[in-house]
Amino acid sequence: MRTVQEAALGGLGALVRGLVGSRPRRTDTVHTSAATLHALRARHGYAPLLLRTRGGRAVLVLLDPRDLGRFYAEPASVLAAEPPEKCRSPYAAEPAGAGCGHGAPRPEPRRTDTQALAPGLPVHPSYEPILTLLAEEARQLTASGTLELARVRHTVDRVARRIVLGHAAAQDERLTGWLRQLRAEGGRPGPATEPGTSTGRSRATARSLYGKADERIREYARRADGDTLLGRAARHPGAPGRAHQWLAALDTLPETLLRTLLLLGAHPAEQRRAATEAGAAAAPGELPWLRACVRESLRLYPVVPDLIRVTRTETDWHGVRHPAGTVVLLPAAFHQRDPEHVPAAHAFVPGRWKDQGAVQDIRMAPFGHGAGRCPGDQLGLLVTAALCAEVLRSHRIEATRPVLDPVGPLPETLGPHGIRLTLARR
Ligand code: HEM
């Protein structure tokens, strides 16, 4: 087993510093390390790479696709989603230990998520009111004939507030602003001892910001109807707390929506098929081709590029034993674009998601697999695919920036801020 000091790893070292002890990141920084991981695997083989952070923390990076099944299948008593000391909400302002019994799986938040998000159902039970509100909000998306991040964000923010909190929250940009500020400046939990995770925002200030947002969410919870996520989970006392996380998760949709439309803009045949589906009176909310396009966009540009667990017991990987407390990192972005194991890894091929078993293929994990899998996957797909359909029903993507080469390998990263789409009326 080789051990690599993070100083030798460039971008990967930064990645690990940022990841250890934190929840899954929704950034695209991992892409910078894909080449490093390929080079290390070519040089040293498929055994997990053992890294040491400057703080001495051991991190095992899984490079072998054959290890992925185990990562997803191990119970939380062996591979836990978070280290015990990290049993806290996404906000540093919340007391550590809240809602969680020292490393045990957290059944109550999961039950609340299950009630609100209905994972496992092919279409979310509130799909009818959701599709209605999406159609209303999407009008604004196409109004100017161009699409860029700010416009998509504005629409998805309204959509997210209406889905989670109710129509009364549609205009509450202030709440979205507080939550975003918390996440950007002080929201990510991270031990003060880990360099680079301290945000400079005092805990007291973060707590006050959190308190304001939480009070506002509780107000909406009192009025929420049964179609909203809060209303669906009304019997669960922790629902307002989970609403913070649901809103944070929905905040990843604008970039995915924009990238999916950009990819369709660069692939005319796929765009035509999507437009035909959008215009047909198919089963409401299903949109199988557009959902495949969204999954493919997430395979190429995942919003959660790395999945992280921490061992609770001693574990053996490729014949080497590692003590409890080792961080195990599954670089999902690396595996789902690994040309040695994924056909046409750097091309946009939505059809791959129509193959039987594709969604269960553990090499590809835009939503993860197993017990830790994203409970909001169907809702995320419903909203993103339906918004794409709203755009394509009336408009064609005529030009894109950046211009993508439909036959060459797609770029490793596609920052959402640089994307601009020109729409033409059909
Ligand atoms: C297309 C959009 C989305 C993507 C790509 C995505 C992806 C993911 C991934 C990869 C994970 C971590 C899985 C693991 O660690 O094995 C996750 C967790 C989670 N996601 Fe999603 N997600 C999306 C949308 C949503 C939505 C819309 C919601 C709720 C409204 C949601 C709620 C959650 C929750 C509650 C967790 C678990 C967090 C935890 O317990 O730590 N996600 N998601």
Side-chain angles (χ1 to χ4, degrees), residues 17-177:
R17 274 199 305 283
L19 284 175
V20 171
S22 81
R23 300 173 73 80
R25 299 183 87 188
R26 292 174 188 269
T27 74
D28 55 4
T29 52
V30 76
H31 295 297
T32 57
S33 69
T36 312
L37 292 179
H38 278 294
L40 285 165
R41 193 172 69 181
R43 201 176 325 140
H44 300 288
Y46 276 72
L49 177 67
L50 178 61
L51 304 180
R52 294 246 172 239
T53 65
R54 280 202 188 105
R57 196 82 196 267
V59 182
L60 273 186
V61 183
L62 304 184
L63 299 179
D64 189 338
R66 286 169 301 185
D67 288 331
L68 306 187
R70 177 178 174 194
F71 178 92
Y72 295 120
E74 289 283 18
S77 55
V78 177
L79 274 188
E82 296 170 352
E85 68 271 22
K86 303 306 303 152
C87 295
R88 50 179 132 166
S89 87
Y91 301 107
E94 262 191 31
C100 150
H102 288 287
R106 298 171 304 150
E108 186 44 37
R110 261 284 159 180
R111 272 198 290 271
T112 310
D113 288 351
T114 301
Q115 178 61 36
L117 303 171
L121 290 186
V123 181
H124 191 273
S126 301
Y127 74 87
E128 275 180 293
I130 290 178
L131 290 177
T132 305
L133 75 85
L134 289 175
E136 287 164 14
E137 298 293 344
R139 276 182 220 127
Q140 188 276 139
L141 265 185
T142 51
S144 76
T146 56
L147 268 185
E148 74 303 309
L149 188 60
R151 180 173 287 273
V152 174
R153 250 206 188 139
H154 179 77
T155 298
V156 176
D157 285 352
R158 287 180 55 92
V159 162
R161 290 190 296 265
R162 290 179 71 178
I163 290 177
V164 176
L165 311 168
H167 303 309
Q171 301 200 54
D172 197 343
E173 290 175 15
R174 205 142 185 233
L175 172 62
T176 303

Side-chain angles (χ1 to χ4, degrees), residues 23 106 113 117 242 245 249 253 303-304 309 366-367 372 374-376:
R23 300 173 73 80
R106 298 171 304 150
D113 288 351
L117 303 171
R242 298 307 288 162
Q245 191 150 353
L253 299 194
V303 291
V304 184
R309 305 284 187 266
F367 298 101
C374 172

Side-chain angles (χ1 to χ4, degrees), residues 148-217:
E148 74 303 309
L149 188 60
R151 180 173 287 273
V152 174
R153 250 206 188 139
H154 179 77
T155 298
V156 176
D157 285 352
R158 287 180 55 92
V159 162
R161 290 190 296 265
R162 290 179 71 178
I163 290 177
V164 176
L165 311 168
H167 303 309
Q171 301 200 54
D172 197 343
E173 290 175 15
R174 205 142 185 233
L175 172 62
T176 303
W178 289 336
L179 295 174
R180 225 168 242 155
Q181 198 182 337
L182 259 169
R183 286 199 301 276
E185 292 180 28
R188 193 181 300 289
T193 49
E194 282 282 345
T197 58
S198 170
T199 60
R201 170 175 288 281
S202 79
R203 234 180 137 69
T205 314
R207 196 171 280 131
S208 132
L209 204 50
Y210 182 88
K212 279 197 286 189
D214 202 50
E215 196 181 315
R216 188 70 70 86
I217 289 175

Side-chain angles (χ1 to χ4, degrees), residues 342-386:
V342 176
H346 298 297
F348 179 65
V349 187
R352 76 175 83 231
W353 292 99
K354 309 279 281 175
D355 294 346
Q356 200 165 12
V359 171
Q360 286 81 37
D361 184 338
I362 54 168
R363 289 168 306 175
M364 298 188 278
F367 298 101
H369 292 279
R373 182 189 167 78
C374 172
D377 59 347
Q378 291 304 335
L379 181 63
L381 287 169
L382 172 79
V383 172
T384 317

